[in-house]
Structures are given as structure tokens and as C-alpha cells.
Amino acid sequence: LSFDSSLITDTYKTYKAIVEDAKLANDGAYLYFQLSSNNGSSYLTSGYSRMIYYVNNVNQSGVGNENKVGFYLNGSDGVGNSGREALNSEVTFFGLRSSTTNKSTFHKSIFNTPNGYVMAELGGFHYSSATVMNNLKLLTDAGNILSGTVKFYGVR
């Protein structure tokens, strides 16, 4: 799923994506966005820095900070895919169209893990670049997205 230059324009400074009930084909897969500056001819696949805090329903919590291949919505654990297991997330994108600031996101996610836990995650990603971006792609690290809804908004 991609959002191209017909949607990502200079009209808005900030963008928001709402991911509802995302069901993934592979148990334990990760869902993430990648950036493109050439309207999807190629995507940036490294250099995304992650800062997250997560907690699950068995009182396990932690923090993470590492480089990834995209803006992850579930960076702390994979998403389960049995029964009613799914991922819900709200992501805000900052600086996509700016040539004077870096690109960053802030996300809130809640999802079921493969072992049945409910995981809540709060965090963000940073991509250090002055390059103007005009495309975002949502993908998984394994398999496909089976179902769900993604809403994409521009914020003035």
C-alpha cells in the first residue's frame, strides 16, 4: 500500500495515518512505512532510528533504540495472526516535504503478539535527511497484509 505524490504535497506540513485492525498473513510479522523521494521508484531501506517504550499485559516493559529499515508500528514484537489478533496504530509524520528539517514520526500502537499478549507501544522514528519526500509505502517484513483499513490525512 503506498501514498504517492498526489497525496503527499506541499499543501500540508504534517500527515497522519490511522491503521485499523491490520491482520497480517505471517504470525510474528512486523508492519512498517518506508520513505521515497522519487514517488515510489525506489524506497529508503536503512537509517531509520527508533525510540520506543512498550508494555504488555504480563507487566513486561522496555525501551528500544536501534536502526531499522523503516518506520515500524510494532517495533517491540511481532503481530499475532490467529483468531482476532490484529494491530491498531496512529502515526503522525513530520517534515516529509521539508528540505530544512529531518523526517520523523510519532506513533501509538496496540496489538496482539504471537504468544497471546496485548502489547501497547509508544514511540517514534527519525530519518536524518534534508531530502523532500513524496511517497510512503506500508509493508510487512514477511507475507502480506490480509485485511484492515488505513486512513491517511493531511494536517495544516
Side-chain angles (χ1 to χ4, degrees):
L1 176 64
S2 66
F3 302 97
D4 66 18
S5 62
S6 69
L7 297 172
I8 301 174
T9 68
D10 290 334
T11 302
Y12 303 105
K13 293 185 75 163
T14 303
Y15 289 87
K16 187 173 288 275
I18 308 292
V19 178
E20 298 173 315
D21 300 327
K23 300 275 291 173
L24 307 182
N26 289 33
D27 200 34
Y30 290 80
L31 192 61
Y32 60 97
F33 283 95
Q34 285 184 330
L35 297 168
S36 173
S37 63
N38 55 20
N39 204 29
S41 293
S42 63
Y43 289 90
L44 301 168
T45 60
S46 65
Y48 299 85
S49 298
R50 168 180 88 158
M51 294 71 55
I52 65 167
Y53 174 76
Y54 58 90
V55 62
N56 68 24
N57 62 331
V58 291
N59 296 321
Q60 296 175 336
S61 64
V63 296
N65 185 359
E66 62 189 87
N67 287 325
K68 291 291 200 177
V69 299
F71 296 136
Y72 278 65
L73 305 184
N74 59 309
S76 58
D77 204 342
V79 177
N81 73 343
S82 66
R84 297 179 309 275
E85 295 177 338
L87 176 138
N88 292 282
S89 187
E90 179 180 330
V91 188
T92 305
F93 299 92
F94 302 97
L96 294 180
R97 301 292 301 153
S98 175
S99 62
T100 61
T101 62
N102 292 317
K103 316 313 165 219
S104 58
T105 66
F106 181 76
H107 74 276
K108 299 177 278 189
S109 298
I110 188 161
F111 57 96
N112 303 100
T113 66
N115 58 7
Y117 298 143
V118 177
M119 186 74 72
E121 186 171 296
L122 177 66
F125 277 84
H126 181 82
Y127 192 85
S128 183
S129 175
T131 303
V132 174
M133 302 298 168
N134 63 0
N135 190 294
L136 286 169
K137 176 173 67 170
L138 181 64
L139 64 156
T140 72
D141 69 331
N144 296 316
I145 301 169
L146 296 177
S147 63
T149 304
V150 179
K151 299 174 184 174
F152 191 70
Y153 302 94
V155 181
R156 289 186 192 220

